[in-house]
Amino acid sequence: MTGGSKKTFRAVAVFLAILALGVGVLPPLIRSMKLGLDLRGGVHIVVEAKDTADHQVTDEDMEALRRVMSSRVDELGLAEPLIQREGSRRLIIELAGINDPEEAVKVIGKTALLEFKTADGQVVVSGKDLRDAKAIIDQQTNEPMVTLKFNDEGTKKFAEVTAELVKQYSLNDPRRHIGIYLDNELLTNPVVREAIPNGEAVISGGFADFKEAADLAALLRGGALPVPVEIEERRAVGPTLGQDSLLKSRNAIVVGLIAIALFMLIVYRLPGLVADFSLIVYAVIVLAALWALKATLTLPGIAGLLLSVSMAVDANIIIYERLKEELRNGKTLRAAVEAGFTRAFATIFDSNTTTVLAAVVLYFLGSGTIRGFAVTLVLGIAASMFTAITLTRFLLRLLVNIPAFQDVRLYGVRREPSVEAEG
């Protein structure tokens, strides 16, 4: 095999490897991306904390409220939630991909204030004294019930009050009962047959089915809301609308990428083909980074990706225009490639730096999907810098060493005869 054949074989192998990378890796990466509320459907809820007569909402209350909401969402198995503050007393909750938005709203908005009260209305133990709650089926009655286990403080309180009730009242005395209330509604009112020193109690007799008991246990594990809340906004995004947005976004991406690839091929010819292959690697890098970060893809995120694609192409255009300029000035092909990249680097770096600065500002001052847009934009810029400066240069160096690709017309340049002689 001659030297020229070896160079040709090497270049073909590299381009085929890039093509195989795109075909083999891109589809599974795209399928594995988590989709946001606007693409998958779900529910968007805004809750607002309310002041009470003796307490005003504080930052600590809002942080506690966010933790409780997050815990409830996790406990109920709702996937990929977005829970964030808006202003001083609002929380935005977005639940993507849920099947029953009404049930989700009902559960996360429940107060879940658990109280154990004596016959005279005195609260002896509350939800804050709780360590764990589980839903089980009573093996004797085959009825669902919730078992409770108190923390050390709750165990001590419960032991003292049960011992006192057993000591003061007879078994048939109604004052020997302890009522169990949830959100001020009486669930059950069992009699205290003996002192309970181990901090374990049971809620039974008030559940329609096991799911109701399991939901209550989940709420109790998640904790009671620290302040009263009201649902200010509830907006459902249907799966059909999300699917429609996803389909239109996918079509826009495909049409946009095809248009970019054709433009690069027509205007810049062989370097344009190199840019198209670089975009394959660029797409693999960006999607792999989003997958590794477990990012959720939303419509603004897709917009950020498309914008970064255009910036990646823009970097190639700057380089190729420099390359054509160097060729017109009479430099050899290899020298023109090196000079083109060297002279274009500062321009590309400055341009991308200003965009990254804007994205950083968006990330720290924005929220939710705006942050997603900023993240995808920065990732895209980083990947485009690598592919435009490093990969494209490597591929062009491979091609300019092959005699069949040394005609400057393949690079979109027509030289005058006097200039041709200098190469």
Side-chain angles (χ1 to χ4, degrees):
M1 186 178 289
T2 64
S5 298
K6 286 182 180 177
K7 292 174 181 175
T8 304
F9 177 79
R10 185 184 176 195
V12 170
V14 170
F15 279 90
L16 285 178
I18 293 174
L19 193 59
L21 179 70
V23 173
V25 176
L26 280 179
L29 273 178
I30 293 172
R31 285 195 295 270
S32 67
M33 292 300 298
K34 297 176 182 176
L35 302 179
L37 182 69
D38 47 2
L39 297 176
R40 190 179 176 188
V43 62
H44 170 97
I45 304 166
V46 179
V47 299
E48 182 169 311
K50 298 295 182 182
D51 295 331
T52 61
D54 55 353
H55 180 75
Q56 289 194 333
V57 177
T58 64
D59 283 343
E60 289 74 16
D61 292 331
M62 292 303 298
E63 182 57 29
L65 181 61
R66 190 192 63 76
R67 286 199 300 269
V68 170
M69 287 296 184
S70 179
S71 178
R72 288 185 179 185
V73 170
D74 290 342
E75 288 281 359
L76 296 175
L78 300 180
E80 303 162 22
L82 170 67
I83 303 175
Q84 63 183 25
R85 283 185 63 174
E86 182 188 61
S88 61
R89 56 179 60 206
R90 284 190 171 189
L91 276 184
I92 295 175
I93 304 170
E94 292 188 347
L95 308 172
I98 62 172
N99 297 322
D100 190 348
E102 292 299 327
E103 180 65 19
V105 170
K106 179 181 174 183
V107 171
I108 66 174
K110 202 172 182 62
T111 307
L113 176 60
L114 178 71
E115 294 174 316
F116 288 66
K117 297 181 181 179
T118 55
D120 60 359
Q122 181 185 359
V123 177
V124 293
V125 182
S126 67
K128 67 182 178 60
D129 299 312
L130 199 62
R131 173 176 292 169
D132 194 14
K134 293 180 180 176
I136 62 171
I137 296 293
D138 189 332
Q139 297 300 316
Q140 295 182 345
T141 64
N142 205 31
E143 293 290 329
M145 60 184 189
V146 175
T147 62
L148 305 175
K149 189 168 186 178
F150 295 107
N151 57 25
D152 292 342
E153 186 177 352
T155 298
K156 182 180 178 182
K157 292 178 182 175
F158 206 60
E160 289 176 353
V161 72
T162 53
E164 188 68 22
L165 291 177
V166 169
K167 180 180 177 182
Q168 288 190 5
Y169 306 112
S170 66
L171 188 61
N172 296 325
D173 193 318
R175 290 174 293 181
R176 191 161 155 164
H177 289 237
I178 292 181
I180 302 175
Y181 293 80
L182 182 68
D183 294 342
N184 293 319
E185 291 185 10
L186 180 63
L187 291 176
T188 183
N189 190 32
V191 62
V192 179
R193 297 186 180 279
E194 57 186 10
I196 302 176
N198 61 359
E200 295 181 358
V202 172
I203 303 175
S204 61
F207 303 109
D209 51 29
F210 182 78
K211 182 177 182 303
E212 186 176 335
D215 286 347
L216 174 60
L219 285 171
L220 296 177
R221 284 197 300 271
L225 300 183
V227 289
V229 299
E230 289 184 4
I231 295 179
E232 297 293 324
E233 181 184 349
R234 181 178 59 191
R235 176 163 48 87
V237 179
T240 304
L241 181 60
Q243 188 64 29
D244 184 57
S245 299
L246 181 61
L247 184 61
K248 288 180 178 176
S249 301
R250 187 180 299 165
N251 291 339
I253 291 172
V254 171
V255 171
L257 291 178
I258 291 175
I260 289 172
L262 289 176
F263 173 82
M264 295 301 290
L265 276 175
I266 293 171
V267 176
Y268 296 101
R269 304 179 187 179
L270 190 59
L273 180 66
V274 170
D276 293 342
F277 273 82
S278 295
L279 283 180
I280 294 175
V281 178
Y282 159 86
V284 170
I285 293 173
V286 172
L287 291 179
L290 291 175
W291 174 80
L293 293 172
K294 298 181 180 178
T296 298
L297 197 59
T298 62
L299 282 175
I302 291 176
L305 285 176
L306 287 175
L307 181 57
S308 64
V309 169
S310 68
M311 295 191 68
V313 174
D314 186 52
N316 283 312
I317 289 175
I318 293 173
I319 293 168
Y320 294 162
E321 288 298 329
R322 292 285 187 184
L323 169 61
K324 290 165 74 172
E325 185 179 332
E326 298 296 334
L327 287 173
R328 292 191 187 101
N329 288 336
K331 284 193 175 179
T332 63
L333 190 54
R334 190 176 305 174
V337 168
E338 299 302 328
F341 277 92
T342 302
R343 294 182 61 188
F345 176 79
T347 305
I348 296 170
F349 183 81
D350 291 347
S351 171
N352 287 337
T353 299
T354 56
T355 307
V356 167
L357 287 174
V360 169
V361 172
L362 280 178
Y363 182 83
F364 284 104
L365 298 183
S367 61
T369 54
I370 300 300
R371 282 188 161 191
F373 171 82
V375 169
T376 54
L377 185 57
V378 171
L379 282 176
I381 290 173
S384 73
M385 284 287 287
F386 169 75
T387 55
I389 303 298
T390 305
L391 182 64
T392 304
R393 191 176 201 169
F394 168 73
L395 295 176
L396 278 177
R397 282 174 173 170
L398 283 178
L399 294 180
V400 299
N401 286 325
I402 300 173
F405 298 135
Q406 291 178 350
D407 187 338
V408 295
R409 287 174 295 184
L410 291 174
Y411 300 81
V413 175
R414 281 184 178 276
R415 277 179 174 168
E416 297 298 329
S418 58
V419 176
E420 187 80 32
E422 298 178 22

